Amino acid sequence: MTSSLSQVLSRVRPSATIAASTRAGELRREGHDIVSLSAGEPDFDTPDFIVAAAMKALGEGKTRYAPAGGIPELREAIARKLKRDNATDLPPSCVAVTCGAKQAIYNALVASLNPGDEVIVPAPYWVSYPDMATLAGGTPVIVETKEEDGFLLTPEALEEALSANTRWLVLNSPSNPTGAVYGKEALQALGEVIARHKRAGVISDEIYEHLVYSNAGGAGGADDVSFVSFVEACPQLLERTLVVNGVSKAFAMTGWRIGYAAGEATLIKGMNVLQSQSASSATTFCQWAAVAALDSDMAFFAPMLKAFRERRDFTVQALNAVPGLSCAVPQGAFYVFPSCAELVGLKTEQGKRIEDDQALCLYALEQAGVAMVHGAAFGASPYLRCSYACKMEQLEEATTRLTKAFAMLS
Ligand code: PMP
Ligand code: GLU
């Protein structure tokens, strides 16, 4: 029997972030001493009150199918959250609950794209956006941003990338992998450009909303940016914006798989049709846990944010001290994205040339047991993505090992 996969799958790469953390886990299970800076998930446990809400739901028999778009109680909690935190006033009928924020983006693209439709993705981008656009039958249009612009998309570059075929701009602030955060004025400048192109909308991926180190006075000086939701900056574009968010990051709930999208009614209905013919719904008792999460006062979060900030400050200064690496201070999320340009082209002790950032990642894994993700997977080379969502001792160990391993390159 011939194995036949769909044609579209031949144009899609496996997720490099998932691949890197899976590989680190496999190597550990085989007995290797691996320090992983590859995982894009908090190392904290889900707060007890959220676990308790899930247990309560299980005890009450909330174990059956949920409506495709999510249980009404969660859609209401999301609508409350968007109004309270993000100046976004949408009814619960304009909210779709999904299996993680990832599925919200995927479902939105599948529900809205036709062949020839373009999706503008600023690079460095989260690995999944271009491939999801391809899977959905659209065409990703990658727009490079510059390190000297803080990896932020400029209105000029956006204008140049827009065409009559543009369906979406995907914005991610704070950004995975750079940690860049768009301020209100930067969003408004982009919004003005989008407003002139009537067919184009914005998918605003706000999954790292709470992970912003504003006014923290970090390693590289004062952080002056705070999180602003795209709709709050550009209320006139409410009908053309799909807000994507979820509980994975701030509530340490990556494995619960609850995310959501909120936006224009027809698109949300389309996403729900798609959900009804695929996953059916996100897991019912996890949705009840998400209600508790979103309605909480987030008192648990301050120590987490403090820990992330300390780790960020440590990681930035430690990576800048590693020979051949250099990075700016990211203002949000939990990633540092150092350039490794000085190391590409060097040779290992065995005489093997480090051709690119992927080769450097492999060298770091094999020589030092440090797992990271190569910048090329995020559309920017030569860079490394290091997640600092791990214990301080691991960060210390990783940077010590990298210093030793990279010093051996010549
Ligand atoms: N967007 C970005 C930028 C992310 O880094 C992630 C990480 N998984 C997601 C979306 C998806 O989040 P979730 O786990 O809720 O699917
Ligand atoms: N978003 C995280 C990361 O970038 C988790 C893995 C994934 O979904 O890509 O590492």
Side-chain angles (χ1 to χ4, degrees):
M1 200 184 99
T2 51
S3 145
S4 49
L5 296 175
S6 66
Q7 287 176 3
V8 71
L9 208 58
S10 69
R11 291 183 280 128
V12 171
R13 307 163 296 178
S15 162
T17 47
I18 301 280
S21 38
T22 306
R23 183 77 189 120
E26 281 168 2
L27 287 169
R28 260 198 211 122
R29 272 190 298 282
E30 287 167 15
H32 298 277
D33 174 18
I34 303 294
V35 187
S36 180
L37 307 186
S38 63
E41 61 178 346
D43 55 322
F44 297 102
D45 289 330
T46 305
D48 288 344
F49 72 94
I50 298 174
V51 175
M55 308 258 262
K56 180 166 178 281
L58 283 169
E60 289 170 352
K62 306 265 174 48
T63 52
R64 300 202 156 81
Y65 292 129
I71 57 171
E73 291 80 357
L74 180 53
R75 286 189 283 112
E76 282 160 14
I78 293 164
R80 276 196 297 279
K81 181 258 179 263
L82 291 172
K83 195 168 177 180
R84 180 186 70 219
D85 300 345
N86 309 124
T88 301
D89 197 358
L90 285 168
S93 57
C94 289
V95 172
V97 177
T98 50
C99 306
K102 198 170 195 168
Q103 200 206 21
I105 301 164
Y106 180 75
N107 283 2
L109 294 173
V110 172
S112 63
L113 294 183
N114 287 305
D117 282 350
E118 293 175 354
V119 180
I120 296 179
V121 181
Y125 48 72
W126 178 43
V127 289
S128 295
Y129 300 140
D131 294 85
M132 283 183 180
T134 302
L135 273 171
T139 306
V141 174
I142 310 298
V143 183
E144 282 179 23
T145 63
K146 298 194 189 106
E147 195 167 358
E148 61 262 35
D149 293 333
F151 289 119
L152 296 178
L153 178 66
T154 62
E156 295 76 27
L158 174 61
E159 186 77 70
E160 209 170 296
L162 277 154
S163 79
N165 295 325
T166 306
R167 180 66 185 84
W168 295 110
L169 160 68
V170 183
L171 269 188
N172 175 214
S173 174
S175 152
N176 175 3
T178 65
V181 181
Y182 286 82
K184 193 170 189 177
E185 283 171 17
L187 292 175
Q188 285 171 337
L190 296 177
E192 273 172 31
V193 178
I194 290 287
R196 291 198 289 274
H197 293 257
K198 302 288 176 231
R199 214 183 145 243
V202 175
I203 294 180
S204 182
D205 180 345
E206 304 183 356
I207 191 83
Y208 295 100
E209 165 180 18
H210 296 289
L211 285 143
V212 178
Y213 308 103
S214 42
N215 304 317
D223 293 298
D224 53 359
V225 168
S226 40
F227 172 80
V228 183
S229 152
F230 185 76
V231 170
E232 186 174 354
C234 306
Q236 78 282 13
L237 291 175
L238 173 65
E239 292 202 341
R240 288 206 259 151
T241 304
L242 188 75
V243 184
V244 172
N245 206 331
V247 292
S248 294
K249 312 288 174 173
F251 300 93
M253 291 174 72
T254 48
W256 298 67
R257 311 307 304 128
I258 299 291
Y260 58 86
E264 185 262 321
T266 313
L267 175 58
I268 296 293
K269 274 195 193 130
M271 290 173 66
N272 291 343
V273 171
L274 184 60
Q275 191 71 320
S276 77
Q277 295 288 23
S278 51
S280 288
S281 75
T283 305
T284 306
F285 63 88
C286 295
Q287 295 194 45
W288 284 99
V291 173
L294 292 179
D295 280 345
S296 81
D297 62 5
M298 294 201 67
F300 70 92
F301 188 66
M304 272 194 204
L305 189 65
K306 184 168 173 283
F308 278 128
R309 181 181 296 153
E310 285 164 7
R311 295 162 178 192
R312 178 199 67 161
D313 291 348
F314 170 80
T315 310
V316 168
Q317 62 81 17
L319 286 177
N320 275 323
V322 173
L325 297 186
S326 67
C327 56
V329 186
Q331 291 166 312
F334 38 62
Y335 308 101
V336 180
F337 199 60
S339 163
C340 55
E342 286 179 27
L343 299 173
V344 169
L346 298 186
K347 287 197 175 140
T348 66
E349 283 198 320
Q350 290 73 35
K352 198 167 168 223
R353 191 171 181 271
I354 301 290
E355 298 292 349
D356 51 22
D357 49 18
Q358 189 165 13
L360 188 67
C361 267
L362 195 61
Y363 172 76
L365 188 61
E366 288 174 351
Q367 181 70 34
V370 177
M372 299 172 290
V373 190
H374 56 291
F378 304 87
S381 234
Y383 289 91
L384 301 172
R385 190 196 76 169
C386 310
S387 161
Y388 54 87
C390 56
K391 305 274 170 293
M392 196 61 117
E393 304 83 74
Q394 286 168 280
L395 294 169
E396 283 163 3
E397 177 65 19
T399 44
T400 304
R401 290 188 192 189
L402 289 178
T403 303
K404 206 169 147 210
F406 289 171
M408 285 157 70
L409 297 172
S410 55

